[in-house]
Amino acid sequence: MGIFIDKRDRALLFRTRLQEALSQVGANQTSLARDIGVDRSTISQLLSDDGARLPNAHLVGSCAQALSVSTDWLLGLSDRPENAADLVATSLTMTDAPRALVDETIFAWHQEAEGYKIRHVPALLPDMLKTKAVLEWEYEPHLGRSADQAIASSEERLDWMRQSRSDYEICIPYHELESFLSGTGYYSGLPADIRQAQCDHWIALCQSLYPRLRVYLFCARQLYSAPITVFGPLLAVLYMGRNYLVFRDTNRISAITSHFDALVREADISARQLPDELEKMRRLIA
């Protein structure tokens, strides 16, 4: 149940918040009265009356609209001053997703969520777990001369992430790993010796960084997931190719987190089993 506020306390809160909203936008009683079409004395009375009376809904709504806040906030029904349009704009945004190793936006989100668990379903295989040779093969055609610089920067970011207080859970479709090790599909043309070294690198990382790094394999025939990253309780990001769709509202973050946790529960290969599974999958490298 919600906490009920006494009429006198709510009236006091309304006056306090109305004065705060005026200060925030640099307005005064005269300008607010002009904007909403009332006498200045009406606004003066709103701010000075020490009784338990509240203005009518029309007047509250007009003040909220003029000051770009919500009526719920003015009346003490919400702790968020933003109006509905601003809340939607804040809770759902779209940003560019450059085809590059060093994505400043992604790194900033990691920094913001330091200390929280980060859940990740990559579009392919996670860059942070790839060897330099694989990164060069994948990115040099797109980055050209800047590939070495980008890879060096990516390695620095990985070192930072290793030292951060965040745990990482990564879910990968089983077929994606099969495709990589066999050099088929997206990974067609990737030399066998590079794939072999990458397999060794994965085994070493999964063993040395466990349990802070936990990688699971799930069957895409049973479960599907779009590429997503959940940065603790702060935001959830859906990768669309050219853009990131970013959610900051609690309900959507919770729903996407539940989706990821279902992938972990239903995974065919757990984080503990992955090193042994990779040893078995070496037979695919030819």
Side-chain angles (χ1 to χ4, degrees):
M1 294 180 63
I3 298 175
F4 291 95
I5 303 177
D6 179 84
K7 287 184 178 180
R8 189 175 296 276
D9 291 337
R10 190 181 299 281
L12 174 60
L13 182 59
F14 170 79
R15 293 193 296 274
T16 301
R17 290 188 168 180
L18 181 60
Q19 185 62 63
E20 181 182 337
L22 282 168
S23 300
Q24 288 290 333
V25 299
N28 56 35
Q29 296 181 27
T30 301
S31 61
L32 177 60
R34 182 177 61 250
D35 289 342
I36 66 175
V38 299
D39 293 335
R40 183 185 182 282
S41 59
T42 301
I43 304 301
S44 178
Q45 185 176 1
L46 287 179
L47 293 170
S48 61
D49 187 358
D50 59 359
R53 293 183 58 188
L54 285 167
N56 62 48
H58 176 73
L59 187 53
V60 174
S62 296
C63 290
Q65 184 176 13
L67 298 171
S68 297
V69 296
S70 70
T71 56
D72 282 355
W73 180 74
L74 282 178
L75 293 171
L77 301 175
S78 170
D79 291 328
R80 299 289 298 272
E82 301 96 331
N83 59 36
D86 289 338
L87 284 171
V88 171
T90 301
S91 65
L92 175 60
T93 57
M94 183 177 290
T95 67
D96 291 336
R99 175 63 171 169
L101 275 169
V102 182
D103 188 329
E104 296 294 340
T105 301
I106 284 286
F107 185 54
W109 288 331
H110 277 87
Q111 290 178 306
E112 182 182 352
E114 184 176 7
Y116 291 113
K117 181 191 291 186
I118 296 175
R119 300 166 169 91
H120 182 44
V121 179
L124 296 166
L125 292 171
D127 285 341
M128 67 179 293
L129 302 185
K130 292 174 183 173
T131 64
K132 181 178 179 180
V134 171
L135 292 171
E136 288 174 341
W137 175 85
E138 186 172 6
Y139 284 96
E140 275 189 342
H142 307 283
L143 300 182
R145 294 180 179 178
S146 63
D148 287 341
Q149 181 181 358
I151 291 170
S153 298
S154 180
E155 291 171 346
E156 291 175 3
R157 303 294 167 84
L158 177 57
D159 289 340
W160 179 90
M161 292 176 191
R162 282 172 169 168
Q163 296 168 16
S164 74
R165 295 173 290 113
S166 296
D167 286 349
Y168 288 82
E169 285 190 336
I170 300 176
C171 284
I172 303 172
Y174 196 97
H175 74 268
E176 191 68 32
L177 205 56
E178 286 183 316
S179 178
F180 176 87
L181 293 173
S182 61
T184 57
Y186 177 85
Y187 306 99
S188 178
L190 182 59
D193 61 327
I194 294 180
R195 286 181 276 130
Q196 180 67 61
Q198 177 65 79
C199 186
D200 294 339
H201 183 63
W202 276 331
I203 292 172
L205 283 179
C206 291
Q207 290 175 335
S208 64
L209 297 180
Y210 183 88
R212 285 194 54 233
L213 172 67
R214 300 184 294 279
V215 182
Y216 303 83
L217 301 183
F218 67 92
C219 177
R221 288 191 295 272
Q222 297 177 0
L223 297 166
Y224 171 76
S225 180
I228 58 172
T229 307
V230 184
F231 295 90
L234 304 179
L235 69 156
V237 179
L238 172 65
Y239 178 62
M240 300 173 61
R242 296 184 63 179
N243 302 99
Y244 298 117
L245 196 58
V246 185
F247 302 96
R248 287 187 177 271
D249 60 296
T250 302
N251 289 339
R252 288 184 176 87
I253 295 172
S254 178
I256 297 173
T257 298
S258 296
H259 162 73
F260 182 93
D261 290 345
L263 295 178
V264 171
R265 288 195 303 272
E266 300 296 327
D268 291 341
I269 304 298
S270 70
R272 285 183 177 274
Q273 296 169 326
L274 184 58
D276 290 339
E277 186 66 19
L278 285 168
E279 290 285 2
K280 295 176 185 177
M281 295 177 74
R282 287 182 188 274
R283 69 183 187 279
L284 298 173
I285 302 173

